[in-house]
């Protein structure tokens, strides 16, 4: 509380602000509207971005550029109907607008990752501070160390998957959502039964007229009442839309309204006792049970943000916007439930560092407020684009949504920006680092894609290479991985010239990450003949919520080839026999590793960005282990590309 001498009317105004923030942002925006803007069950800013890209030609992803309109998958997956809207046409014409939209999606995702660092820190730290009520002698250092130990334990449990521990979540959250409003009701009756008069918006007007600039600055702290709504949308891949709506409307929303009302009623009778507001209004007889429930609830809240962080990291990796990290599917039944070891331990180190570095002061709360409201404002803007471009909502309804929420959240953003020197800089620092990593990786991948497209090997060129007398066809089955669809990777020519051979049956495999959440199993693997005898093309198509490592890729591709042969003439039997013989002889997976050679004549931008990309490429994981290919069957072919 920043007011030097708060009054009853100040507290009434603050409760009115929290009530309407929870109602409008929590209920109307997220539960009523945003949860319907999912992309095949996935939520968050990147899911909305992919949804927009599929309904209008506004994406600048590599997979979008080489996508053929004639392919059946695009016709099946894209829901683009009729002519694009005026806004869709504007984005299609303006590369600047498309880049701004992409930057906004990336920023929203980076801020959510920052949320994954701050939520566990502030939630657990706030709960453990309850020890200082009965034991004032407990120092801040003890609180910080205990919080860090709890968080380390939580992160170490992540590898077992959410499903393994989620059976505890429901009882804990049920205890939290049912006990806190009961205490709130007790506090209302005991301290100030007329608290619900504050629902009237005129208390908000009076609050700002009375406190002016100081009242506006206090919005930076008030925004914390709605934390978690942004994670609720990002966690859509872990829970169904209906379950989130029912849980929020039936328990979370009324619980928060009554709890905040009880706290406000207590403060009206104790106007200067505003430090540690939650534990102050808990009656002494139930203090310790509530301390235990609050600590467990903080752990569950932390888990939801950690899970959401894993989800957005996976989305970024499969869309080729983030260096490859290991992603493990921890549930056979829920495809959205993933775990990333590298991400997990980096988050753990950052969370513990935040607790030990910022301590029990207001700095973590200030940083948390910046993250929450920035994600919400980006969601509002992107949801407006979804309404106009995809849903074709009437302009009056779009304005009724956009104007109030943009003004409300814009006011919150302007207030939390004043907190940047007081800890709010942290999420910006994290977001800038992540955005630089993502941009550096994307820029390098784009340059490689451009080189491969300009120097691709055509089927005719492959036929010429194989016709040379020194080139032999050796026994065995080879899976040759390529990044391009229309043609073959330049590394193929490099390989044939140096090895003077090609396997009897060679399948050129292209992994294509599409701007959809999930690809239908029937459309997962597409195969075709490429002209020369025993040479085939194969496209393995995945959405960002699909798993790359389900089963043996080689077995899946060979099964698809056999089915392809069965639909052809009698020559198909001979090809099937050759395929089986090659498979029995031996299988090898060949992957090109093209590196940049940055010459002295290259520009400074290329020197910096491509040098950074090569560093990232050197420390990230290979794509092949994610496909489950045996180590002894992998071969890497190196090639330098001079910039």
């Amino acid at each position: 509380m920043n007011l030097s001498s708060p009054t009853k009317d100040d507290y009434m105004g603050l409760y009115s602000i929290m009530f309407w923030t929870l109602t409008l942002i929590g209920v109307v925006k997220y539960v009523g509207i945003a949860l319907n803007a999912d992309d095949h069950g996935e939520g968050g800013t990147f899911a909305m971005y992919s949804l927009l890209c599929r309904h209008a030609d506004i994406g600048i992803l590599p997979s979008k550029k080489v996508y053929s309109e004639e392919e059946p998958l695009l016709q099946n997956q894209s829901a683009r109907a009729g002519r694009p809207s005026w806004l869709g046409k504007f984005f299609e014409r303006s590369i600047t607008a498309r880049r701004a939209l992409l930057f906004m999606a990336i920023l929203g995702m980076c801020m959510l990752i920052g949320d994954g660092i701050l939520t566990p820190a502030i939630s657990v730290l706030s709960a453990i501070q309850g020890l200082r009520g009965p034991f004032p002698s407990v120092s801040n250092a003890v609180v910080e160390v205990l919080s860090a130990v709890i968080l380390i334990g939580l992160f170490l449990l992540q590898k077992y998957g959410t499903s393994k521990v989620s059976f505890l979540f429901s009882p804990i959250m049920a205890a939290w959502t049912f006990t806190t409003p009961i205490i709130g009701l007790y506090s209302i009756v005991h301290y100030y039964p007329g608290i619900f008069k504050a629902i009237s918006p005129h208390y908000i007007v009076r609050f700002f007229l009375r406190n002016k600039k100081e009242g506006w600055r206090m919005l930076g702290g008030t925004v914390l009442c709605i934390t978690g709504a942004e994670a609720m949308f990002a966690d859509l891949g872990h829970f169904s839309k209906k379950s989130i709506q029912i849980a929020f409307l039936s328990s979370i929303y009324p619980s928060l309204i009554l709890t905040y009302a009880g706290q406000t009623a207590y403060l009206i009778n104790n106007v200067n006792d505003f430090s540690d507001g939650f534990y102050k209004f808990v009656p002494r007889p139930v203090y310790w049970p509530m301390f235990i429930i609050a600590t467990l609830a903080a752990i569950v809240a932390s888990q939801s943000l950690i899970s959401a962080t894993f989800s957005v990291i996976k989305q970024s990796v499969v869309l080729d916007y983030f260096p490859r990290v290991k992603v493990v599917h921890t549930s056979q039944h829920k495809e959205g439930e993933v775990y990333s070891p590298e991400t997990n331990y980096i988050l753990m180190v950052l969370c513990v560092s935040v607790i030990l570095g910022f301590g029990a002061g207001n700095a973590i709360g200030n940083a948390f407020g910046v993250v929450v409201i920035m994600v919400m404002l980006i969601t509002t803007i992107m949801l407006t684009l979804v309404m106009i471009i995809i849903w074709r909502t009437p302009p009056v309804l779009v304005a009724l949504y956009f104007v109030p929420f943009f003004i409300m959240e814009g006011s919150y953003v302007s207030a939390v920006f004043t907190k940047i020197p007081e800890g709010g800089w942290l999420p910006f620092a994290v977001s800038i680092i992540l955005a630089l990593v993502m941009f550096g990786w994307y820029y390098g991948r784009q340059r490689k894609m451009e080189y491969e497209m300009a120097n691709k090997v055509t089927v005719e060129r492959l036929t010429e290479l194989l016709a040379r007398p020194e080139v032999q066809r050796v026994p065995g089955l080879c899976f040759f991985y390529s990044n391009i669809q229309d043609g073959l990777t330049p590394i193929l020519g490099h390989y044939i010239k140096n090895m003077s051979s090609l396997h009897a049956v060679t399948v050129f495999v292209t992994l294509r990450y599409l701007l959809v959440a999930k690809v239908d199993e029937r459309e997962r693997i597409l195969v075709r003949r490429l002209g020369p005898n025993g040479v085939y093309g194969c496209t393995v198509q995945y959405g960002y919520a699909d798993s790359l490592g389900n089963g043996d890729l080689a077995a899946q591709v060979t099964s698809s080839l056999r089915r392809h042969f069965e639909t052809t003439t009698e020559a198909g039997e001979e090809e099937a026999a050759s395929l089986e013989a090659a498979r029995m002889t031996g299988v090898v997976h060949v992957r090109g590793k093209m590196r940049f050679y940055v010459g002295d004549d290259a520009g400074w931008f290329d020197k910096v960005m491509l040098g950074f990309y090569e560093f990232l490429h050197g420390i990230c994981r290979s794509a092949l282990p994610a496909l489950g290919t045996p180590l002894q069957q992998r071969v890497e072919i190196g090639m330098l590309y001079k910039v």
Side-chain angles (χ1 to χ4, degrees), residues 617-635:
H617 193 268
I619 62 173
C620 78
R621 292 177 176 267
S622 166
L624 286 186
L627 302 172
T629 54
L631 183 63
Q632 64 273 19
Q633 293 181 2
R634 298 179 205 153
V635 175

Side-chain angles (χ1 to χ4, degrees), residues 242-264:
K242 194 64 70 179
S243 66
I244 292 174
Q245 290 172 328
I246 291 171
F248 190 85
L249 293 175
S250 65
S251 61
I252 298 170
Y253 174 70
S255 172
L256 290 173
I257 293 296
L258 290 172
T259 302
Y260 290 140
Q263 286 178 278
T264 308

